[in-house]
């Protein structure tokens, strides 16, 4: 328990909003993702302390901002390597978190777009991929800031990435496209037309899903279309191949979880529904997947600091394995937005609640929902 508390305290050190406001700090998000509005914000110093004490950067990032990259004004932070990218109107600067400059180049010289969402600035091992001024993509060498490759004709309105590829969608309104590029050398993996304008791209081990206002379309990672979804979706979450149960037919194993207006669904890699469970949506939700591939749906209210309810569904059948309720910090109505993030870490699930009354983190055992620990940071 002491170890748990120490790690969580490192992850959830909170700064003072007034100090950040004085520095012009803001937290942004990509189109289609609500802007995170908080009374307090995580400071770079707090994040650095957490990283230096051995808290993996990906855990901290996922806990606090889900799928977003950290964005503090014009900065994008790589916690795992303690490095910061700053894109201003005049220059691009890459430095350490203690302000030691690694390199700086004129923005116009490397043809980088002046303004872009934090999720459109991608920091990889040896490359930094950014929206290109005038359209397309440009990648810089992470060590020098020199241009590594360009794709001037690439769409650049909707971004996503995984360990291998950068996925982008956009283009002409009448003929949008989805494209994928290798982040190392810019080689195009595929380019395919879309019938609808993309709202969100969700890469997975079994394919790449593109959500739009009327539903979704899922492509093979090489480009061919696998299946269409004609029902509007509230969320879609991939299941890692590593979570496939031993002894199951991989072709019929659950590859995607989806949340529609009135149910949760499990689909295989070709879009065949394996099961569906009616579930009326009363609050805001976020989806996550355990190490064994079971679905976790966490429900919470975005304007009330009232805690959350987590339900775990069996991957094979959709049966409820467990349901747990966690109380909030006793504030019925929140002046600021309430947000909840879920991060699977091994055999645990970490839930982070952020609201005006304060923050709390709960660790539950994935197998049965048993509580392993809870830490609170009230602001009253």
């Amino acid at each position: 328990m002491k170890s748990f508390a120490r790690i969580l305290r490192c992850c959830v050190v909170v700064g003072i909003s007034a100090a950040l406001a004085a520095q012009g700090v803001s937290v942004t998000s990509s189109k289609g993702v609500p802007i995170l509005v908080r009374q307090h914000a995580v400071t770079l110093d707090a994040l650095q302390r957490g990283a230096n004490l051995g808290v993996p950067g990906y855990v901290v990032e996922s806990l606090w901002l889900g799928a977003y990259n950290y964005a503090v004004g014009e900065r994008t932070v790589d916690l795992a390597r303690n490095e910061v990218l700053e894109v201003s109107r005049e220059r691009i600067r890459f430095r350490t978190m203690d302000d030691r400059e690694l390199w700086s180049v004129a923005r116009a010289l490397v043809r980088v777009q002046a303004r872009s969402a934090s999720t459109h600035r991608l920091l990889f091992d040896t490359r930094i991929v950014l929206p290109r001024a005038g359209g397309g993509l440009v990648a810089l060498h992470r060590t020098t800031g020199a241009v590594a490759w360009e794709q001037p004709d690439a769409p650049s309105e909707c971004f996503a990435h995984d360990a291998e590829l950068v996925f982008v969608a956009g283009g002409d309104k009448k003929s949008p496209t989805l494209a994928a590029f290798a982040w190392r050398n810019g080689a195009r993996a595929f380019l395919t037309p879309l019938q609808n304008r993309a709202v969100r791209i969700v890469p997975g081990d079994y394919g790449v899903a593109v959500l739009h206002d009327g539903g979704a379309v899922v492509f093979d990672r090489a480009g061919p279309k696998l299946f269409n979804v004609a029902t509007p979706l509230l969320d879609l979450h991939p299941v890692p191949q590593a979570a496939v149960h031993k002894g199951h037919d991989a072709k019929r194993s659950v590859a995607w979880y989806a949340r529609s207006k009135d149910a949760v669904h499990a689909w295989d890699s070709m879009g065949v529904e394996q099961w569906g469970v009616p579930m009326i949506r009363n609050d805001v939700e976020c989806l996550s997947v355990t190490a064994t591939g079971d679905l976790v749906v966490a429900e919470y209210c975005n304007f009330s600091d009232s805690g959350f309810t987590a339900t775990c569904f069996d991957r094979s059948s959709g049966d409820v394995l467990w349901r747990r309720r966690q109380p909030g910090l006793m504030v019925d109505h929140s002046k600021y937005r309430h947000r909840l993030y879920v991060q699977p870490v091994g055999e645990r699930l970490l839930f982070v609640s952020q609201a005006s009354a304060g923050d709390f983190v709960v660790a539950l055992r994935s197998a049965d929902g048993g509580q392993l620990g809870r830490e609170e940071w009230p602001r009253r």
Side-chain angles (χ1 to χ4, degrees), residues 356-372:
S356 62
D359 305 327
F360 69 87
V361 179
V362 176
L364 301 183
R365 194 164 40 242
S366 301
D368 57 11
Q371 182 170 317
L372 299 173

Side-chain angles (χ1 to χ4, degrees), residues 305-324:
D305 191 358
S306 53
F308 67 89
T309 298
T311 305
C312 184
F313 297 89
D314 180 80
R315 175 177 182 166
S316 300
S317 64
D319 294 339
V320 174
L321 297 177
W322 52 262
R323 179 177 284 118
R324 298 290 181 267

Side-chain angles (χ1 to χ4, degrees), residues 102-123:
L102 301 174
W103 51 260
S104 176
V105 296
R107 182 190 60 79
L109 183 65
V110 292
R111 297 176 291 280
V112 169
Q113 184 176 308
R115 293 186 177 181
S116 61
S118 63
T119 47
H120 292 189
R121 303 194 292 264
L122 309 179
L123 277 61

Side-chain angles (χ1 to χ4, degrees), residues 39-258:
Q39 183 180 18
H40 292 63
V42 181
T43 67
L44 293 179
D45 286 342
L47 295 175
Q48 184 177 14
R49 286 197 295 272
N52 289 343
L53 287 172
V55 179
Y58 80 91
V59 173
V60 182
E61 283 192 277
S62 296
L63 286 175
W64 284 105
L65 292 179
Y68 322 149
N69 285 322
Y70 267 100
V72 187
E74 297 171 334
R75 306 169 194 164
T76 300
V77 179
D78 184 339
L79 291 174
R81 292 169 64 165
N82 290 337
E83 294 176 341
V84 182
L85 176 71
E86 297 177 341
V87 180
S88 68
R89 188 176 297 275
E90 293 79 23
R91 301 193 68 79
I92 299 175
R93 183 171 179 246
F94 198 49
R95 62 175 178 81
T96 61
M97 293 179 72
D98 59 2
D99 209 31
R100 179 174 61 86
E101 186 170 284
L102 301 174
W103 51 260
S104 176
V105 296
R107 182 190 60 79
L109 183 65
V110 292
R111 297 176 291 280
V112 169
Q113 184 176 308
R115 293 186 177 181
S116 61
S118 63
T119 47
H120 292 189
R121 303 194 292 264
L122 309 179
L123 277 61
F124 294 98
D125 182 41
T126 60
R127 299 287 185 268
I128 298 174
V129 181
L130 302 158
R132 182 178 178 274
L137 302 174
V138 58
L140 308 182
H141 286 281
R142 183 161 179 150
T143 54
T144 65
V147 173
W149 55 263
E150 293 183 78
Q151 284 286 355
D153 297 325
S156 56
E157 295 177 7
C158 192
F159 275 57
H161 72 284
D162 59 19
E164 300 175 357
L165 299 172
V166 176
F167 302 92
V168 286
D172 186 87
K173 293 182 179 180
K174 296 182 179 180
S175 55
T177 57
L178 170 71
F181 301 91
W183 60 263
R184 293 182 183 275
N185 58 13
R188 191 174 74 187
F190 67 81
L191 175 68
T192 187
L194 297 173
Q195 297 299 315
N196 304 89
R197 199 178 186 91
V199 173
R200 182 181 164 207
I201 304 171
V202 183
D205 289 344
Y206 293 93
V208 182
V210 178
L211 276 68
H212 53 79
D213 290 337
V217 57
V218 179
F219 298 91
D220 183 88
R221 289 182 63 88
K225 183 166 65 176
L226 296 177
F227 62 91
N228 277 310
V229 180
T231 302
L233 298 179
L234 301 174
D235 200 359
L236 185 66
H237 202 294
V239 178
Q241 283 184 333
V244 173
H245 292 329
K246 293 182 179 179
H248 283 226
D249 180 359
K251 292 183 179 179
R252 287 292 172 261
S253 183
V254 174
W256 302 93
Y257 288 119

